[in-house]
Amino acid sequence: MKKHTIVLFALVFGTITSLLLIVQSFRPIDGLESITSTDRIAVWAITVILFIYYKSLNSKPQLVPSMISIEKENSRDKDKPGVSFKDVAGLDEIKEELQETIDFMINSEKYKRMGAKIPKGILFHGPPGTGKTLLAKAVAGETNSSFLYASGSEFVEKYVGVGAKRVRTLFEKAKKESPSIIFIDEIDAIGTKRNQDSNNEKDQTLNQLLVELDGFNTDETVIVIGATNRLDLLDEALLRPGRFDRHIYIGNPNMPAREKILEVHTKNKPLDGKIDIKAFAKKTTGLSGAQLANIANEAAIIAVRNNKKEISTLEFDAAIERVVAGLELKNPNVLLKEKKTVAIHEAGHALVSKILDTDTVQKISIIPRGQALGYVLKYPDEDRYLLTEKELENKIITLLAGRAAEQVIFKEITTGAKDDLSKATDIARAMVCSYGMSPLGTLALDELYIKYNYDTIRIEIKDITDRTYKKAIELIEDHIHILHKIADRLMEKETIDSEELDLIFKENKRPPKPNFAL
Ligand code: ATP
């Protein structure tokens, strides 16, 4: 960078001098009379050389070493994190599993004497924000090791060899600072399956990573932890014994874990004595640890905004809504006609959700948030790991109920169901392709089969969505009086909570239709 600036200054100076000398050759300038033709040619030649040199500085290869040197100076990755297992809420079985690795790092001699080979590579996989990085830092904290962080994408460069060089540098550093933990986040950025037409930059980087994993021996206490959201994409070679052979799945937290995570993140915050963390854990099914941490932080920010001394249930509920549904628009410019459509659409979702008992409806709103003009805030009563075919269908019916309500009331449909359609199709596709819940049979369809038989598969997916949409229309038509009541209340108040919804249902319950069939 410095060299670049100096050359640029010299070039500007040379250019100005050359221009003056050109002018001087036509019209004498005071003070430059003594300049000879040889001097002139020399100045011009130097300027041209400077120009060529400057151009070459700006073009690729020279930049590569400078990038590496930036990386060498980068101290972000050298760290002894002050994080321990105490900071990681829940994940008890995973912490237990990691205990052996920790023991090895602390008492490595014991294992070496026994001739035991200790796992070099551990792979954390699972959805984003579930605490993979936090856990890796905690392992470093528990063992008082250096924590060297790298993201897979940092190794992806267009200049061949740069990624591989970075991998080498990282491992060199780790060995120097042993005991140490190398954490490679988003390892799929470099670790995806290699192509047949090999030898590109990415393959070289992956090869270097494999070499490094094989290369370091038991004298160095270095553990490599990789993290990915997509284990299925990784190259077999990376997962082989002796490399990343321990795979640990870290999923979204269940109810007790959510409670513990919320406790960890509210530990240093002033809470209203009446606050019930368990109730918030119940309302946040499906959210990741990162989202829960965000909710706790948002609640604190909202409390400051509301000039409160303590965080109360009100702020927590607002924070959950903020994180789940997005930012509330302060002055939305929604036409009255659109507002009515949104009220009917959301009333449709809430109505069917309550009839089919898919989830607990917490709130219905037609106040725009994020990209949505309205939303139904709902949560399942409990964490579920298995869903029946019927339950999946009910989920699709609920998703399609917004569009069905528009169809029944206005006899036309709008663009408002885009997101619902995409979610409903995803579930239907999984039912056909992954869960064997279609006439195609009890088999999981692999990608190749899906590719070559997509028309057949699409017919089955469409059959599910058509069937469920028909059911949604029937439910709306059968309970149209309640739909209108919910929509009218929404138009009047914009937001309805669960108690009010229960009341509407209670007040408008009709006796079941008489069954005349003999
Ligand atoms: P990604 O896959 O997107 O890289 P990740 O799984 O590495 O995500 P982290 O970066 O570890 O997720 O988590 C983000 C934040 O979420 C943490 O800094 C922490 O505040 C919070 N968090 C997540 N899980 C937990 C947990 N089990 N206990 C306490 N905090 C957690």
Side-chain angles (χ1 to χ4, degrees), residues 291 294-300 302 311 313-326 369:
Q291 283 171 308
N294 195 10
I295 286 174
N297 191 45
E298 279 293 330
I302 296 169
I311 305 170
T313 305
L314 207 74
E315 282 79 41
F316 245 102
D317 276 336
I320 293 175
E321 220 169 330
R322 164 78 180 86
V323 170
V324 174
R369 262 185 191 271

Side-chain angles (χ1 to χ4, degrees), residues 87-89 91 127-134 185 229 261 264-265 289-290 293:
D87 302 296
V88 185
L91 306 177
T130 46
K132 296 184 283 298
T133 314
L134 186 69
D185 205 0
N229 306 136
I261 294 176
V264 163
H265 288 281

Side-chain angles (χ1 to χ4, degrees), residues 267-307:
K267 199 169 54 194
N268 301 322
K269 297 184 172 71
L271 295 184
D272 178 341
K274 283 188 237 120
I275 226 162
D276 180 4
I277 294 284
K278 207 182 204 120
F280 297 124
K282 195 158 185 239
K283 287 180 189 176
T284 46
T285 311
L287 299 196
S288 66
Q291 283 171 308
L292 295 171
N294 195 10
I295 286 174
N297 191 45
E298 279 293 330
I301 293 172
I302 296 169
V304 171
R305 202 182 298 147
N306 294 349
N307 286 324

Side-chain angles (χ1 to χ4, degrees), residues 344-356 358-359 361 363-364 376 378 398 401-402 483 486 490 501 505:
I344 288 292
H345 183 107
E346 299 309 332
H349 282 309
L351 174 78
V352 171
S353 182
K354 211 156 160 52
I355 295 170
L356 296 178
T358 46
D359 293 308
V361 176
K363 190 173 182 181
I364 320 164
V376 176
K378 51 189 172 53
T398 311
L483 181 90
I486 303 172
L490 278 174
L501 186 66
F505 263 78

Side-chain angles (χ1 to χ4, degrees), residues 15-39:
T15 311
I16 295 169
T17 318
S18 302
L19 287 173
L20 278 175
L21 291 179
I22 292 171
V23 174
Q24 195 258 351
S25 59
F26 295 107
R27 245 183 70 200
I29 298 173
D30 289 347
L32 295 179
E33 302 86 356
S34 55
I35 300 277
T36 65
S37 310
T38 325
D39 296 336

